[in-house]
Amino acid sequence: MATRSTELKQDGAPLPLKASGISRNRYIANMRKHWMLYLMILPGILFYVVFKYVPLAGSVIAFQDYQIFKGIWGSPWVGLDNFGFIFTYQDFYNVLRNTAVIALYQLLFGFPAPILLALLFNEIRLMVAKRVVQSLFYLPHFLSWVVVGGIVFELLSSQGVVNAVRGWLGYEPILFMQEAGYFRTIVVLSSIWKEVGWGTIIYLAAIAGINPNLYEAAVMDGAGRWKQTIHITLPTMFPTILVLFLLQIGNFLELGFDQIFNLLTPMTYSVGDIIETYVYRAGVLQGQYSMTTAIGLFQSVIGFILLWIFNRLARKTDQGLW
Amino acid sequence: MAKWYFRKWFGKPALAVVLAAGLLAGCGSPGGSGTDAGGPDSEGGNEVTKVKVFKSHMGVGTIPGPDNPHVQYVAERTGVQYELVTTPPGSEPTEFLNLMIASDDLPDILRPIGGIEQTLIRQGGALALDDLLPQYAPNVWKNIPQEAWDVVRSASPDGKIYYVPKVFLVPERAPMIRQDWLDKVGMPMPTTTEEYKQVLAAFLEQDPNGNGVRDELPTSGREFGKWMDHLFAMYGVAMWEGSPEWDVYDGKIQYAGVTDNMKAAIGFIRELYAEKLLDNETFLNKGDVWTAKINNNLVGSWYHLPANLRDRFTAIQQKAPDAYVVGMPLPKAEGYEGYVTQKSMGEPEWIIPTKAEANAPAALKLLDFFYDRSNDEFIRFGIEGMQHEVVDGKKVLLPPEDSRPLALGMRNLTTEEDMNIRIQETIPEDMQQMVKDIFEVSTADAKRIAGDGLPSTVYEGYPDIQSHKLFQEYLTKIVIGEWPLEKFDEFVDRWYTSGGEEVTKRVEEWYSRM
Amino acid sequence: MKATFGEKVFQTLNYVFLIAAAATMLFPLVQLLAVSFSSPVAADSKEVFLLPVEFTTASWEHILKNQGLWTSFGITVYITVVGTLLSMLFSVMTAYPLSRREFLLRKPVMLGIVLTMIFNAPMIPFFLTVRELGMMNSLWALILPGLIGTFNMIIIRTFFMGIPGELDDSARMDGCSDFGILFRIYLPLSKPVVATVSLFYAVGYWNTFSRAVLFIRDPEKWPLQMKLRAYLQSPEELAAVNMFLGDFDFNTTTLKAATILFATIPIILVYPYLQKYFVKGSMLGSLKE
């Protein structure tokens, strides 16, 4: 019974569970012994089968010319035509590039932002101040992108704050929202502003688990705040960071329609038209379910490949998702 | 029956899994009404037939039940009891309808949106109404002009009537200008584009709003180039809320977006922009921002619905008590024949699914009730205490409220007379003449375009052409000066090669059938 | 312990930065509040900044006496409470075996679950599935299809994996079953993450919208967010209200602001309350050496 902990203590490496090495008997024995674990997870598995996998089977419409009136059995099969159509679409390369570039920016800047913020929060000594500031940071999460989009447009308008500051400094106003060059920066900054406080909560929960004795011991050893952060706080957060990173990688090409849609103008199409905005035009407005499902599958496959690669890397630290 | 729908999707084994899962997870639907039952079968043996009616965008209110007086009154008169089905707020109505079709849950008569009527027609799901209409809905048949029925016939592959069209015989939109600003800068109504430009320049320079700040926006529009149709109209461009339409140019039907008229219009607009006569943030104006600019007494000339002028005008008056808005006759552009685009007929309004064929006579009888002029009073005011109250012996409509039941209305036929009544009912007396005058001016300039009633199927497979994405990109970038006007030629080429050619062929084919 | 000069400078800058940033985040809500108490003309003219202009409570009165809005409020509270409890229960029960090395199916099951995060079911089949389960127009349609949030479940699992094994060994000695270990040892040790994930679920349920649009046809059962959209989407209807009443004390803009706040403030208040668990939960650390 004590296997797990002893193994962990010894080297922290995963159990040598190679699929080939496990006989059927071993599974049955395991099931007998730990039947409660199997029982416990049963509702969860049923949930995933019923609400995720059964509807997911409907993805076959990506290989059909799905006609809603005829249904899935009545619609003709077209093989890979829908995928072919995507790749012959004139602007597809552009749309894909925009999506990937923004996704990369989000990963580079949006992902670390809540981690940094959590560390900054951690440096506030005054408990009341800490709580108040935290509570304020999480407010924008509750505003919809329609509202935030309106705020961004107003802020960057000719009468807005940013141009007012430029005016004081003697610069001409710039209409930022219609300049393609600023679009991606605006997207990344606005999503950091909106979600950073919310994203911090999870890291704060991780930090809350740290034993204060550890810090005290570090202080005895003469470590300053910086060293404490590097050697105690960050390592405790690491498993959470890694998991969140992997999950974001898995949905790499899904940027969220609402934000982009509310910030996009025709002047910024060249850098801001992404897969989701295209799907909206083609799918929602034209009802082409087969094609949009095909695009969705494409996004998912890319996401899965990326996740698979990174998960393999993560497993080297015994922290993979599976 | 319900099981069958599911098998259509997943087959028996999956069904078993799902049902088993449902049981095991211990999740029935307590208190839930389950799948909605209720078919066309009549209840209690009386003569009333039930008809399910789908109509989206109904606004706030509850769904009227069978005991609702409005439902009962209509049932008494027609022998048909309507059951209203509507889209929930925030849903994409097209998507909602698609789900209804996919789950075989179609109503007896529906108001199609987003081109769903074409899906039904092509997949054999729509009932031909040619013979049924004269028989069961004589008022619909005779009140809708013959011309409109022809447009409907042209939209189906076999030339049959598959839907009842919307008919709107007055132009809804109008170019408007501030008369009090014209007076302040001492200029008459402009008659040419040159004069119009001078007026706008005077608006910019001479502080007509009198606040001592040079904050006037002589004319303005909205994001995507919406609601600045007046600037295109001067050059004879068929334009509908910023989307180019189809009209006859050089003797053949064309997308107005790729014509020389469009190039000239964009050139003109580009000049206005460069001289700041057009709001430099016009392409960034969301609806509320644009409205605020007009309300704040900052805009001199704009394009909108005169019937909705009331709120704006009230706000303007707070800042400029002597404000007055008039319709602007289109200034003449040298070498072009300007007009205000009017789309009057052909948009689908009611369609009956083949599945509901048995109920079609009843559905049409219901529809006919609303098109019968002798019912006008009831259609407008409904039931006392539900839709209106009587104040000083006069019927006054009650404001919609989400705790009160909705009342079905099915007529979408607007004549000049209807519009006058609407103005009388919704516009305060002291503004009525102003609004009527604006309509008069825009009616004089209005022209029904050749592409009126064009079915959306012509765009199939070309979402970027249908959404005018390419056009918007070139329009905006040329106007703000990022691209030279010559880039427009590149747009024309790209438009044709990215599907415009095929779409044009389809439109020509449709037009030849008209 | 003495702070170095550098640390003091950092502390000051940190305060300045955080407070300034927090102010920008508070601003939109304050402005909404001001708009909701302003006259329609002032609101539409974008004159309202931080304080109401031409103060009036008309918008709030109109909203608060609206019976339908309170019904929706009740429904939202109901699905938030019931949904969060059920979600936590099933998430924890799924996360626990997946965090145990002795659960041999851990990896395949985990992979299967992660896949559902990446591959999304198309809408129509999803709709038909839920419909076939008889959940149309039932509040269960707002809870069961999202019962386990994969993201949340994985977060819980990650924390469970960080709990040292000695604990459950000793628990087993005392005769605890897996259920016992989960509920008596793991959960109490995981207060911060339980608080966090509960918050995530609660906010998710509170904001329930797209599923409600799909499955709830009966306006009596609309959650708050749908009511909110009803207001946001039908400005013409609302404009009609004052048109008929000849009353200009509120309009779409001010009602919109008031409704957004009505639908948001209750859920915003949950977090400050939960914050105490982020401090007290440090118990977990005492075992981590």
Side-chain angles (χ1 to χ4, degrees):
Chain A
M1 211 54 224
T3 45
R4 178 174 174 251
S5 53
T6 32
E7 296 236 2
L8 261 182
K9 255 190 211 158
Q10 277 161 10
D11 55 11
L15 278 173
L17 291 186
K18 286 183 201 113
S20 54
I22 304 166
S23 67
R24 175 178 298 241
N25 285 340
R26 181 148 173 223
Y27 271 111
I28 291 170
N30 177 274
M31 236 178 248
R32 282 234 176 90
K33 194 167 171 194
H34 300 291
W35 61 274
M36 220 175 236
L37 292 178
Y38 289 83
L39 181 71
M40 212 186 261
I41 205 170
L42 191 65
I45 289 180
L46 279 174
F47 165 81
Y48 279 100
V49 170
V50 174
F51 289 108
K52 303 285 179 179
Y53 276 96
V54 170
L56 195 56
S59 296
V60 296
I61 62 175
F63 306 96
Q64 289 188 321
D65 174 16
Y66 176 59
Q67 300 175 357
I68 38 172
F69 199 68
K70 294 187 179 153
I72 213 164
W73 299 127
S75 300
W77 293 90
V78 296
L80 294 174
D81 279 11
N82 291 310
F83 295 90
F85 181 82
I86 302 172
F87 293 107
T88 53
Y89 169 59
Q90 258 193 349
D91 282 347
F92 184 73
Y93 169 73
N94 189 38
V95 165
L96 183 62
R97 193 200 55 201
N98 289 341
T99 313
V101 169
I102 295 176
L104 197 65
Y105 282 7
Q106 294 282 34
L107 200 65
L108 286 180
F109 302 104
F111 183 75
I115 301 172
L116 289 176
L117 184 63
L119 295 177
L120 292 184
F121 279 158
N122 199 39
E123 295 306 312
I124 302 186
R125 308 288 169 74
L126 200 62
M127 213 29 123
V128 184
K130 194 172 180 172
R131 282 198 186 181
V132 170
V133 171
Q134 278 172 16
S135 303
L136 293 181
F137 262 80
Y138 109 135
L139 292 179
H141 173 75
F142 293 92
L143 300 170
S144 67
W145 272 113
V146 183
V147 174
V148 177
I151 295 172
V152 171
F153 270 84
E154 203 170 298
L155 207 66
L156 298 174
S157 74
S158 61
Q159 312 291 319
V161 179
V162 178
N163 276 314
V165 173
R166 286 181 63 88
W168 294 332
L169 300 175
Y171 293 104
E172 283 290 300
I174 295 178
L175 294 175
F176 295 95
M177 295 310 291
Q178 60 184 39
E179 303 263 347
Y182 294 107
F183 183 76
R184 288 164 180 158
T185 314
I186 292 168
V187 166
V188 172
L189 286 179
S190 61
S191 71
I192 289 179
W193 179 81
K194 186 173 183 296
E195 299 299 339
V196 69
W198 181 252
T200 302
I201 295 176
I202 209 162
Y203 295 115
L204 292 176
I207 292 175
I210 300 174
N211 185 349
N213 297 339
L214 287 179
Y215 288 119
E216 279 162 31
V219 170
M220 300 285 242
D221 294 345
R225 297 294 294 188
W226 175 247
K227 283 206 163 154
Q228 294 172 28
T229 303
I230 295 293
H231 295 294
I232 303 173
T233 318
L234 267 178
T236 319
M237 289 162 76
F238 183 71
T240 311
I241 295 176
L242 191 69
V243 164
L244 294 193
F245 177 80
L246 290 174
L247 295 180
Q248 181 160 349
I249 282 286
N251 291 320
F252 187 67
L253 291 181
E254 283 159 46
L255 295 175
F257 169 77
D258 282 350
Q259 182 193 10
I260 304 288
F261 186 72
N262 279 298
L263 294 177
L264 199 59
T265 72
M267 287 85 77
T268 49
Y269 279 156
S270 56
V271 292
D273 194 21
I274 58 163
I275 295 178
E276 273 110 332
T277 46
Y278 177 70
V279 163
Y280 175 75
R281 287 198 299 277
V284 180
L285 300 180
Q286 285 209 326
Q288 297 181 18
Y289 290 107
S290 288
M291 209 251 284
T292 54
T293 308
I295 295 179
L297 279 182
F298 170 77
Q299 278 174 299
S300 304
V301 168
I302 300 281
F304 182 67
I305 292 171
L306 289 173
L307 177 62
W308 190 77
I309 294 169
F310 280 93
N311 194 56
R312 276 199 80 99
L313 295 177
R315 263 151 75 165
K316 298 207 164 122
T317 64
D318 190 28
Q319 305 277 7
L321 278 177
W322 69 84
Chain B
M1 201 57 184
K3 306 283 174 282
W4 179 79
Y5 303 145
F6 188 72
R7 274 210 300 282
K8 204 160 110 179
W9 269 93
F10 303 114
K12 263 181 188 168
L15 178 68
V17 170
V18 169
L19 294 179
L23 286 175
L24 280 169
C27 48
S29 47
S33 42
T35 36
D36 33 355
D41 29 1
S42 58
E43 214 173 63
N46 46 7
E47 296 293 300
V48 175
T49 318
K50 282 186 192 168
V51 166
K52 255 194 189 177
V53 183
F54 171 82
K55 187 179 176 187
S56 64
H57 299 100
M58 288 290 288
V60 292
T62 59
I63 304 292
D67 305 330
N68 180 286
H70 192 274
V71 175
Q72 286 184 339
Y73 180 87
V74 175
E76 263 167 45
R77 294 284 313 277
T78 59
V80 180
Q81 177 189 318
Y82 72 82
E83 277 178 50
L84 181 63
V85 182
T86 187
T87 48
S91 63
E92 193 69 56
T94 320
E95 207 169 82
F96 187 90
L97 258 181
N98 280 332
L99 284 176
M100 284 177 97
I101 298 178
S103 52
D104 241 340
D105 194 18
L106 278 172
D108 297 311
I109 181 165
L110 64 131
R111 187 162 177 267
I113 18 185
I116 211 96
E117 74 285 354
Q118 292 297 341
T119 310
L120 286 175
I121 294 172
R122 267 176 312 143
Q123 299 180 14
L127 189 67
L129 303 174
D130 299 68
D131 303 328
L132 296 168
L133 274 168
Q135 193 182 346
Y136 297 105
N139 287 298
V140 177
W141 187 242
K142 88 174 179 259
N143 283 343
I144 291 178
Q146 196 53 44
E147 209 181 348
W149 293 120
D150 289 340
V151 172
V152 174
R153 288 195 183 96
S154 76
S156 67
D158 55 3
K160 284 188 181 162
I161 293 175
Y162 284 104
Y163 56 82
V164 174
K166 166 189 172 183
V167 178
F168 208 98
L169 296 172
V170 268
E172 286 166 276
R173 296 114 214 269
M176 292 180 251
I177 194 164
R178 289 279 296 272
Q179 181 63 51
D180 56 317
W181 281 26
L182 280 175
D183 296 343
K184 281 216 184 93
V185 300
M187 292 176 90
M189 184 67 78
T191 58
T192 66
T193 46
E194 263 326 295
E195 284 176 32
Y196 181 61
K197 223 170 132 177
Q198 284 159 13
V199 164
L200 295 184
F203 282 176
L204 186 65
E205 302 300 334
Q206 299 180 30
D207 192 26
N209 69 11
N211 63 356
V213 187
R214 194 172 184 264
D215 56 356
E216 283 81 1
L217 305 164
T219 188
S220 184
R222 274 204 228 168
E223 51 178 358
F224 305 109
K226 283 182 189 169
W227 296 107
M228 44 191 279
D229 299 7
H230 57 304
L231 304 175
F232 296 95
M234 298 169 192
Y235 289 84
V237 177
M239 205 73 173
W240 193 253
E241 287 179 32
S243 301
E245 288 287 332
W246 296 76
D247 201 8
V248 173
Y249 295 92
D250 304 327
K252 48 180 206 246
I253 191 156
Q254 285 190 56
Y255 179 62
V258 294
T259 57
D260 290 341
N261 302 53
M262 180 58 92
K263 191 174 178 180
I266 293 180
F268 176 64
I269 297 168
R270 194 173 191 270
E271 280 171 34
L272 296 184
Y273 189 94
E275 294 167 38
K276 296 204 172 2
L277 302 178
L278 169 64
D279 176 5
N280 271 206
E281 286 177 277
T282 191
F283 297 128
L284 300 176
N285 284 340
K286 308 233 174 225
D288 60 329
V289 174
W290 175 81
T291 307
K293 285 176 173 173
I294 294 173
N295 288 358
N296 272 351
N297 195 23
L298 295 175
V299 182
S301 157
W302 69 95
Y303 188 84
H304 202 232
L305 308 164
N308 290 11
L309 186 59
R310 191 188 56 103
D311 287 356
R312 278 182 195 111
F313 188 67
T314 313
I316 296 171
Q317 274 183 318
Q318 307 262 336
K319 310 238 166 181
D322 55 350
Y324 199 79
V325 181
V326 292
M328 176 177 74
L330 281 181
K332 174 103 183 83
E334 194 56 43
Y336 296 94
E337 204 59 57
Y339 61 86
V340 169
T341 299
Q342 186 182 350
K343 282 168 59 168
S344 291
M345 47 191 67
E347 270 183 72
E349 190 67 18
W350 295 104
I351 190 162
I352 297 181
T354 341
K355 281 240 164 66
E357 186 165 4
N359 251 358
L364 286 173
K365 260 189 242 166
L366 177 69
L367 183 64
D368 200 57
F369 172 83
F370 290 93
Y371 277 78
D372 185 346
R373 287 276 169 196
S374 62
N375 296 325
D376 272 7
E377 178 93 357
F378 174 77
I379 292 162
R380 205 172 310 132
F381 291 106
I383 305 282
E384 183 173 356
M386 311 276 312
Q387 282 84 36
H388 76 269
E389 57 185 4
V390 178
V391 182
D392 305 331
K394 231 180 113 187
K395 286 182 177 175
V396 180
L397 282 172
L398 288 166
E401 225 174 70
D402 54 7
S403 51
R404 251 207 313 272
L406 295 161
L408 178 66
M410 290 180 87
R411 181 162 81 196
N412 201 340
L413 166 66
T414 309
T415 59
E416 211 180 316
E417 191 195 337
D418 294 313
M419 185 47 94
N420 281 335
I421 291 169
R422 185 175 155 195
I423 291 172
Q424 268 161 28
E425 275 167 10
T426 61
I427 306 271
E429 257 168 56
D430 54 336
M431 291 185 209
Q432 284 179 10
Q433 196 54 46
M434 181 176 81
V435 173
K436 278 185 188 166
D437 290 345
I438 296 173
F439 268 117
E440 199 162 308
V441 172
S442 71
T443 309
D445 274 332
K447 186 188 102 178
R448 228 193 105 207
I449 53 171
D452 192 11
L454 182 72
S456 58
T457 38
V458 296
Y459 294 113
E460 203 179 61
Y462 301 104
D464 285 357
I465 301 253
Q466 182 173 21
S467 64
H468 307 282
K469 175 189 170 249
L470 200 59
F471 168 75
Q472 288 166 353
E473 187 172 1
Y474 278 84
L475 165 74
T476 53
K477 285 199 161 188
I478 292 173
V479 169
I480 65 172
E482 194 176 324
W483 285 347
L485 185 58
E486 288 66 49
K487 267 272 200 182
F488 182 80
D489 303 331
E490 179 190 293
F491 159 67
V492 176
D493 287 343
R494 274 188 71 189
W495 187 84
Y496 275 114
T497 52
S498 65
E501 214 154 322
E502 173 64 22
V503 174
T504 305
K505 251 183 239 154
R506 292 177 191 166
V507 176
E508 279 168 355
E509 199 269 325
W510 166 80
Y511 192 60
S512 68
R513 274 188 279 135
M514 284 288 291
Chain C
M1 94 187 150
K2 270 191 186 149
T4 63
F5 174 72
E7 279 174 6
K8 275 183 191 158
V9 172
F10 169 79
Q11 279 290 333
T12 317
L13 288 180
N14 192 23
Y15 270 110
V16 170
F17 167 75
L18 289 178
I19 290 173
T24 70
M25 297 180 179
L26 181 62
F27 174 72
L29 282 164
V30 172
Q31 196 182 34
L32 274 177
L33 197 66
V35 167
S36 75
F37 282 110
S38 293
S39 78
V41 171
D44 269 347
S45 312
K46 306 240 166 216
E47 283 173 359
V48 184
F49 192 59
L50 282 176
L51 290 173
V53 176
E54 297 169 35
F55 183 87
T56 166
T57 54
S59 305
W60 282 99
E61 281 168 30
H62 182 76
I63 281 183
L64 295 180
K65 73 174 187 218
N66 181 330
Q67 197 50 51
L69 206 60
W70 286 108
T71 311
S72 292
F73 183 81
I75 287 186
T76 294
V77 170
Y78 174 80
I79 59 168
T80 303
V81 172
V82 175
T84 305
L85 287 175
L86 287 177
S87 285
M88 282 311 288
L89 178 67
F90 285 98
S91 302
V92 161
M93 276 170 47
T94 309
Y96 177 76
L98 290 174
S99 71
R100 310 293 305 199
R101 280 163 197 284
E102 60 267 31
F103 180 59
L104 283 186
L105 293 177
R106 186 167 61 112
K107 290 192 178 187
V109 170
M110 217 30 224
L111 178 61
I113 288 176
V114 170
L115 276 180
T116 66
M117 261 187 116
I118 299 173
F119 290 85
N120 300 311
M123 185 194 55
I124 292 181
F126 174 69
F127 173 79
L128 293 179
T129 309
V130 177
R131 187 178 183 271
E132 282 313 309
L133 290 167
M135 286 194 237
M136 245 357 238
N137 254 331
S138 154
L139 293 184
W140 287 108
L142 305 183
I143 295 177
L144 295 183
L147 189 64
I148 298 178
T150 306
F151 178 86
N152 292 341
M153 193 276 289
I154 292 177
I155 296 297
I156 299 175
R157 171 188 181 248
T158 309
F159 272 75
F160 282 176
M161 295 206 311
I163 293 177
E166 295 90 336
L167 279 175
D168 39 290
D169 293 341
S170 52
R172 274 186 217 280
M173 303 279 190
D174 298 344
C176 272
S177 68
D178 278 305
F179 272 98
I181 294 176
L182 169 59
F183 288 101
R184 301 240 180 89
I185 299 177
Y186 274 45
L187 284 188
L189 281 180
S190 312
K191 272 183 196 154
V193 76
V194 167
T196 304
V197 174
S198 301
L199 175 72
F200 288 176
Y201 275 124
V203 169
Y205 282 114
W206 188 271
N207 289 334
T208 294
F209 172 67
S210 47
R211 244 180 263 138
V213 163
L214 286 180
F215 302 120
I216 308 294
R217 298 287 157 80
D218 179 0
E220 302 271 297
K221 290 182 186 159
W222 281 352
L224 204 49
Q225 295 298 326
M226 273 180 89
K227 253 329 192 244
L228 180 62
R229 306 289 161 122
Y231 278 106
L232 300 189
Q233 280 215 331
S234 46
E236 300 302 328
E237 277 79 11
L238 284 166
V241 175
N242 36 33
M243 163 173 16
F244 290 106
L245 302 179
D247 171 355
F248 279 84
D249 285 348
F250 58 83
N251 74 349
T252 346
T253 318
T254 60
L255 278 184
K256 221 194 253 187
T259 324
I260 291 177
L261 290 171
F262 181 83
T264 315
I265 288 177
I267 191 70
I268 286 181
L269 296 179
V270 172
Y271 181 57
Y273 172 77
L274 282 180
Q275 273 178 331
K276 63 178 176 211
Y277 294 104
F278 289 79
V279 186
K280 287 183 185 161
S282 45
M283 199 177 145
L284 168 64
S286 61
L287 299 152
K288 227 181 191 180
E289 274 160 72

